[in-house]
Amino acid sequence: MVEALWDGDTFHDWFVLLVTVLDDPAGEGRLATVHHRVGGPPPGTRAAEAGRALADHLGVPFHFASPDVPDDEAPRVGGRPGRASGQGHRRPRRQTSTRRHSPVSCWMALRA
């Protein structure tokens, strides 16, 4: 099965993870990360299109519990917890500054 999950952070804002969900052996693997591009469709729309196309190509089901609204607590296939439930992720907060910080400058600020 191919599943789409909302996730996010303060640097990238909301994005969607496309994962494959395996029954045997049990587990999941990350296939792609879909970010928003300026002037492009929302990441949920892009991820739904790509996930559906991949699932159709592979002949497996596709699941995206909340394609239109970012929700990292949306129900997952098989009762798995959402991204925010027990996995240490939090909903992102929008940056109030328009200045972009590099990962290195953020890391340096955290070490200070």
Side-chain angles (χ1 to χ4, degrees):
M1 165 175 290
V2 176
E3 187 172 21
L5 311 168
W6 283 103
D7 201 353
D9 58 39
T10 56
F11 187 76
H12 295 105
D13 200 19
W14 286 107
F15 53 88
V16 179
L17 302 173
L18 288 176
V19 298
T20 180
V21 180
L22 305 172
D23 291 329
D24 190 21
E28 66 182 46
R30 188 176 295 184
L31 299 170
T33 302
V34 182
H35 294 274
H36 178 72
R37 285 194 149 165
V38 176
T45 303
R46 274 288 161 105
E49 292 169 359
R52 216 172 278 112
L54 178 60
D56 289 347
H57 177 75
L58 297 173
V60 297
F62 174 68
H63 180 258
F64 195 175
S66 182
D68 299 320
V69 178
D71 183 359
D72 59 354
E73 296 178 355
R76 293 195 57 196
V77 172
R80 288 179 168 86
R83 298 288 302 165
S85 302
Q87 294 190 22
H89 292 274
R90 285 187 258 159
R91 292 177 187 268
R93 290 178 291 175
R94 289 227 179 243
Q95 291 179 340
T96 55
S97 169
T98 57
R99 181 175 175 228
R100 291 260 194 195
H101 299 284
S102 73
V104 173
S105 66
C106 292
W107 178 77
M108 294 296 282
L110 290 173
R111 292 200 56 193

